[in-house]
Amino acid sequence: MKVSKTYEEINEKISKGDAVVVTAEEVITLVEEKGLEQTAREVDVVTTGTFGPMCSSGVFLNVGHSTPRMRMSKVYLNGVNAYAGIAAVDVYLGATEIPEADPANQHYPGEFNYGGAHVIEDLVAGKEVRMEAYSYGTDCYPRKKLETLIKLEDMNEAFMFNPRNAYQNYNVGVNLSDRPIYTYMGILKPNLGNANYSTSGQLSPLLNDPLYKATGIGTRIFLGGGTGYVSWYGTQHNPCANRTDKEVPRAPSATLSLTGDLKGMDPKWVRGVSYLGYGVSLMIGVGVPIPILNEEMLRSAAIKDEEIYTQIIDYSEGFPFGKGGSLGEVDYAQLKSGKIIIQDKEVPTAPLSSYPKAKEIAKILKSWIQKGEFLLTEPVASIPSVDSGKKMKPLKIRCIEEKEEFDG
Amino acid sequence: MMAKHKIVLLFPAAVVEQPFLYHLVKDYNLFVNIIRANINPRKEGRLVMELAGEQEDYDAGINFLESRGVTVMPFEQQVKWNEDRCTQCGACTVICPTDALKMIRPEMIVEFDESKCIVCEHCFKACPARAIVAHY
């Protein structure tokens, strides 16, 4: 490799307002026109983006101490239960939590119009939220219940902590059965009526950094319209998935655990969403900057939709019951064309993750960096990669035998 | 002069069992083309249709419906796509049966063409952001 830059050099250029920053979409044509080496010399940073439903998200909140004090053990925000099994007035509100009174799927398919993700959106939007809290009372925390209104600005700390975001690639969901099904991949019409997918393809963070050379623990990112960080690798992180010769996984692979200050976020990029018959999720905007340290990193960041493949999975039987494998492989250019062929049938496609919004995120991040407001961070540690041997394990259900305690 | 409009009729429960369309055709010489109907005995009914005929007959037909307690509404304002709420994902575009909600490619932008909407309402719950709502 002929080009070699460091984080320090790039950050110096950013601070001076001299850095050349392009989005993961713009870089494709640049590389096609100027070649890899020339572009690697010129471009300092490539910005990525994604705006899709990410169920494994939530917020830690410290709501402040009342007088008399209270060790809250049950907390509801707009009727949605927040986990209070931590310190006195700390809670964790999960995106997919629904109010206890929600009929869920008792009236199938349930609507799930409001849940944890919507509370998070309301908080970020600065709205008042009704809080109820209950406790058993202690000598140091005597209060047993309270009811109040609270806003994000009233809280001491509020930070998002998402155990699994930014999936590196994801399945295409279809339905082989003869009835409609309601899934986290949206409504899937019977007999291959539609095929839904959910990544931003060539703009997606980890598809542009397939071996996690730029993305690691401590990487500063765009999260929900504010600044966030990669805190760990995400749950179900599966770097050893099957890959193409460009090292890009052909199936769901790496994930990231992300954190960021809720108070700096924008409700435009933190949206509660409802999947009919499935539940509530959070659409969250994520953008990761990739420093172009050399040609190799640029080659990865210049990936195109037609070079990224994923698997078509049946969500009527295949996914829920672990039956059968992939129904075929498609690339993102095919998916974005609006139709794909599955079992000789032309099937219309729809994304659940917004491409134009992903592009907007990449552009916002680009402008932050161009203005010198956002410096890049070198990961303090790498996340497990292809050489880690790390794989996703299924849960084996074992027979719990009666203990023979009383047999001499 | 000919008049031709898509309209939505709301029938109060008390009159839902009366043969309104028969009268529109026979007494007012109008063409009716039913797009969608939700009519049940003794319940409020809703009918989406295209109504056409001479302007004079058309107006008289509408007067007849309204005099019998039927609410007549213009079709175009029935479904509202709230662009600010729309997350531009695209989930609705494979659910909409008439391509009223469709994706402009390759930009992947969702657009709503009111004139193609048949008010089937499938999109209301298919939209994760609940950005498409009824306006009646």
Side-chain angles (χ1 to χ4, degrees):
Chain A
M1 279 182 281
K2 293 174 184 164
V3 179
S4 174
K5 289 182 249 180
T6 65
Y7 279 87
E8 291 73 27
E9 285 164 9
I10 291 176
N11 275 337
E12 213 180 299
K13 287 176 87 176
I14 295 173
S15 299
K16 285 184 191 158
D18 292 341
V20 178
V21 191
V22 296
T23 69
E25 191 185 78
E26 293 161 346
V27 77
I28 295 169
T29 34
L30 273 184
V31 169
E32 279 170 358
E33 284 165 13
K34 300 186 171 183
L36 211 55
E37 192 188 319
Q38 182 64 18
T39 312
R41 277 187 211 289
E42 291 176 14
V43 173
D44 299 303
V45 187
V46 170
T47 58
T48 63
T50 184
F51 187 54
M54 306 190 202
C55 290
S56 202
S57 300
V59 292
F60 279 105
L61 309 170
N62 179 287
V63 298
H65 288 280
S66 59
T67 312
R69 288 178 189 262
M70 181 174 184
R71 206 231 76 82
M72 298 176 180
S73 48
K74 281 261 177 223
V75 173
Y76 300 90
L77 294 164
N78 280 352
V80 181
N81 183 39
Y83 178 76
I86 38 182
V89 294
D90 281 349
V91 297
Y92 183 79
L93 175 65
T96 67
E97 190 74 39
I98 55 169
E100 278 167 24
D102 192 296
N105 263 342
Q106 283 170 39
H107 305 295
Y108 177 84
E111 294 186 21
F112 304 97
N113 289 315
Y114 196 84
H118 298 91
V119 180
I120 297 169
E121 179 186 335
D122 284 346
L123 284 172
V124 175
K127 291 186 188 167
E128 301 259 27
V129 166
R130 206 184 76 247
M131 178 169 79
E132 292 164 75
Y134 302 91
S135 174
Y136 44 80
T138 71
D139 289 339
C140 47
Y141 290 107
R143 188 190 280 273
K144 290 190 177 166
K145 72 178 194 192
L146 66 76
E147 206 173 325
T148 186
L149 291 173
I150 191 165
K151 284 198 281 196
L152 183 60
E153 64 179 32
D154 303 331
M155 298 181 185
N156 288 310
E157 292 79 22
F159 56 90
M160 192 170 266
F161 193 97
N162 305 338
R164 180 168 73 248
N165 280 178
Y167 237 121
Q168 188 182 27
N169 214 343
Y170 211 78
N171 300 332
V172 178
V174 297
N175 176 7
L176 289 179
S177 79
D178 56 9
R179 68 165 185 97
I181 59 170
Y182 303 93
T183 75
Y184 68 84
M185 293 300 292
I187 302 170
L188 298 175
K189 297 194 279 187
N191 306 311
L192 295 170
N194 58 312
N196 287 4
Y197 65 99
S198 192
T199 97
S200 55
Q202 64 194 14
L203 274 172
S204 182
L206 291 175
L207 291 172
N208 283 280
D209 181 22
L211 298 175
Y212 333 124
K213 288 183 174 157
T215 317
I217 294 160
T219 300
R220 184 178 294 133
I221 60 165
F222 171 109
L223 182 63
T227 304
Y229 295 87
V230 175
S231 42
W232 200 248
Y233 52 91
T235 53
Q236 294 181 192
H237 181 67
N238 189 37
C240 297
N242 195 3
R243 292 183 184 241
T244 63
D245 53 7
K246 292 204 165 186
E247 307 283 7
V248 176
R250 297 169 178 271
S253 181
T255 68
L256 298 175
S257 174
L258 305 178
T259 190
D261 189 354
L262 203 63
K263 294 189 183 193
M265 293 187 188
D266 179 341
K268 181 178 178 183
W269 302 113
V270 182
R271 296 287 308 274
V273 283
S274 309
Y275 289 91
L276 188 66
Y278 176 73
V280 170
S281 188
L282 185 73
M283 265 183 102
I284 175 89
V286 177
V288 177
I290 298 170
I292 301 305
L293 303 178
N294 51 49
E295 292 96 321
E296 197 53 47
M297 287 176 94
L298 179 65
R299 193 199 311 276
S300 297
I303 188 113
K304 291 182 262 191
D305 281 330
E306 51 265 46
E307 298 166 324
I308 310 168
Y309 299 86
T310 189
Q311 308 302 315
I312 302 162
I313 302 292
D314 167 42
Y315 276 71
S316 67
E317 287 226 334
F319 179 84
F321 300 105
K323 284 186 189 169
S326 170
L327 300 173
E329 195 172 71
V330 277
D331 68 54
Y332 280 90
Q334 292 171 314
L335 286 166
K336 275 167 78 178
S337 77
K339 35 191 181 292
I340 55 172
I341 305 288
I342 310 170
Q343 297 181 345
D344 299 324
K345 189 181 170 180
E346 195 179 86
V347 182
T349 61
L352 299 178
S353 163
S354 171
Y355 191 82
K357 297 282 179 188
K359 196 151 98 179
E360 202 178 326
I361 290 168
K363 283 188 174 162
I364 294 171
L365 183 55
K366 171 180 160 174
S367 75
W368 289 354
I369 300 170
Q370 282 173 331
K371 282 187 249 165
E373 296 167 357
F374 186 107
L375 294 178
L376 306 193
T377 50
E378 188 168 359
V380 292
S382 302
I383 59 172
S385 188
V386 280
D387 53 359
S388 66
K390 190 178 183 313
K391 286 211 161 158
M392 210 173 121
K393 286 183 281 196
L395 175 66
K396 284 186 193 140
I397 299 177
R398 292 182 292 171
C399 177
I400 303 171
E401 287 174 34
E402 269 184 51
K403 286 185 183 166
E404 296 174 3
E405 287 175 350
F406 303 108
D407 282 1
Chain B
M1 197 179 72
M2 284 288 285
K4 186 176 176 187
H5 299 287
K6 280 187 192 168
I7 53 173
V8 179
L9 308 183
L10 282 188
F11 302 94
V15 304
V16 77
E17 288 172 60
Q18 295 178 26
F20 288 105
L21 299 194
Y22 167 84
H23 289 294
L24 287 180
V25 174
K26 188 154 186 299
D27 303 345
Y28 298 94
N29 204 22
L30 295 171
F31 294 84
V32 297
N33 182 16
I34 298 174
I35 296 170
R36 188 161 179 264
N38 185 6
I39 306 286
N40 294 292
R42 294 186 298 282
K43 281 189 181 162
E44 189 184 76
R46 201 162 150 268
L47 180 75
V48 182
M49 68 171 184
E50 193 171 66
L51 187 65
E54 286 297 328
Q55 186 69 50
E56 208 173 303
D57 294 336
Y58 185 93
D59 294 341
I62 298 288
N63 279 340
F64 156 73
L65 290 170
E66 288 178 338
S67 71
R68 297 293 183 92
V70 178
T71 305
V72 182
M73 296 182 297
F75 170 82
E76 285 76 14
Q77 291 150 23
Q78 293 304 297
V79 170
K80 175 113 178 91
W81 172 55
N82 187 341
E83 204 174 343
D84 291 339
R85 290 296 299 162
C86 175
T87 61
Q88 291 286 341
C89 77
C92 59
T93 60
V94 277
I95 300 301
C96 177
T98 60
D99 272 349
L101 284 157
K102 76 165 192 194
M103 200 145 234
I104 310 300
R105 298 174 197 277
E107 296 83 3
M108 308 300 282
I109 291 166
V110 177
E111 272 194 4
F112 178 52
D113 180 352
E114 239 175 25
S115 68
K116 287 185 181 168
C117 173
I118 55 164
V119 200
C120 73
E121 301 177 6
H122 289 340
C123 55
F124 291 4
K125 290 168 190 171
C127 169
R130 302 288 187 261
I132 313 154
V133 289
H135 239 229
Y136 39 81

